[in-house]
Amino acid sequence: MENTEETTPFISEIKASSLSYAVKYGLIISSITVLYSLFLYALDLMFITWLGLLSWGIVIVGIVLAIINFRDKINGGFISFGKAFSIGFLIILIYAIISIIYYYVLTTFIDPQIPERMMQMAQEKLMSKGLSDEMIDQQVQMQEKFMTGSLKYVGILIQLFSMVLIGTIISLFCALILKKQDDSFKATFSE
């Protein structure tokens, strides 16, 4: 007869392990994306849009690997939608917070010229669309307020909210795809 106490983890242990697991993966993914961003910065490639979007690719791959690893190695090959989503969401939350801190340090202490360069690029993009000088000036002034002016911290909160919103959608899709319920007779009575 098998000793179920040794093979079945307690619910509180699973909750604690999934939280620490998500924090660990959140820190790993954040570290990788910060290093990738510093690499782009060092090579002066950080303003190439598609290279910047690769950070989200790193995040998606990281979340998928984290959920699969938790499901297969820690949770006995099964994971509920809720558990998979919560792991993905916590990873995204940690990633978003660290990314915002990194961006703040980068643009405040390392290279304060970045927001100005971003505004110049936005202005050039607006000019190429054929907007009037007045409309371009209005949009650039608004962008300047959110990047360096009186609304800088509101801009940071908007950026944080946007990252968490995008990450929530990513986590939902990952959880839907990677969930694997244990429908066995034993699992029905062990919950």
Side-chain angles (χ1 to χ4, degrees):
M1 189 158 169
E2 187 177 69
N3 185 354
T4 57
E5 285 184 30
E6 292 177 14
T7 59
T8 306
F10 294 103
I11 299 295
S12 61
E13 288 177 3
I14 292 173
K15 287 181 182 176
S17 70
S18 65
L19 176 64
S20 61
Y21 185 82
V23 168
K24 177 179 116 179
Y25 264 84
L27 292 172
I28 290 169
I29 292 167
S30 298
S31 299
I32 292 169
T33 57
V34 165
L35 289 173
Y36 175 69
S37 178
L38 286 170
F39 174 75
L40 293 179
Y41 173 75
L43 296 178
D44 200 27
L45 299 173
M46 69 182 295
F47 294 109
I48 298 174
T49 306
W50 70 270
L51 287 174
L53 290 176
L54 281 179
S55 290
W56 280 105
I58 294 168
V59 172
I60 292 169
V61 168
I63 289 173
V64 167
L65 291 176
I67 293 171
I68 288 172
N69 193 39
F70 185 86
R71 179 189 71 195
D72 296 345
K73 299 214 169 137
I74 294 176
N75 216 33
F78 302 101
I79 191 166
S80 67
F81 169 81
K83 179 67 68 182
F85 174 73
S86 66
I87 288 172
F89 181 78
L90 287 171
I91 289 170
I92 283 296
L93 192 60
I94 291 164
Y95 164 74
I97 291 168
I98 290 175
S99 294
I100 294 295
I101 292 169
Y102 161 72
Y103 179 77
Y104 179 78
V105 169
L106 181 69
T107 59
T108 303
F109 302 110
I110 298 173
D111 191 350
Q113 303 303 317
I114 289 175
E116 188 176 310
R117 289 174 58 195
M118 290 173 75
M119 286 184 287
Q120 287 173 348
M121 288 179 61
Q123 187 174 12
E124 290 170 8
K125 197 174 196 179
L126 293 170
M127 290 170 114
S128 70
K129 289 183 178 181
L131 297 176
S132 69
D133 289 342
E134 184 179 309
M135 290 178 76
I136 292 172
D137 287 342
Q138 286 176 345
Q139 289 199 10
V140 169
Q141 285 175 2
M142 184 58 73
Q143 187 177 19
E144 185 176 11
K145 284 181 184 179
F146 279 104
M147 293 184 86
T148 60
S150 58
L151 298 175
K152 180 178 183 175
Y153 296 106
V154 172
I156 289 172
L157 288 175
I158 290 170
Q159 188 177 9
L160 179 65
F161 177 76
S162 299
M163 291 174 79
V164 170
L165 181 63
I166 292 167
T168 299
I169 294 167
I170 292 168
S171 295
L172 282 169
F173 281 114
C174 290
L176 278 171
I177 293 167
L178 299 172
K179 70 179 178 163
K180 188 174 180 186
Q181 292 293 108
D182 185 0
D183 296 328
S184 68
F185 184 75
K186 181 181 173 186
T188 305
F189 291 103
S190 65
E191 291 180 2

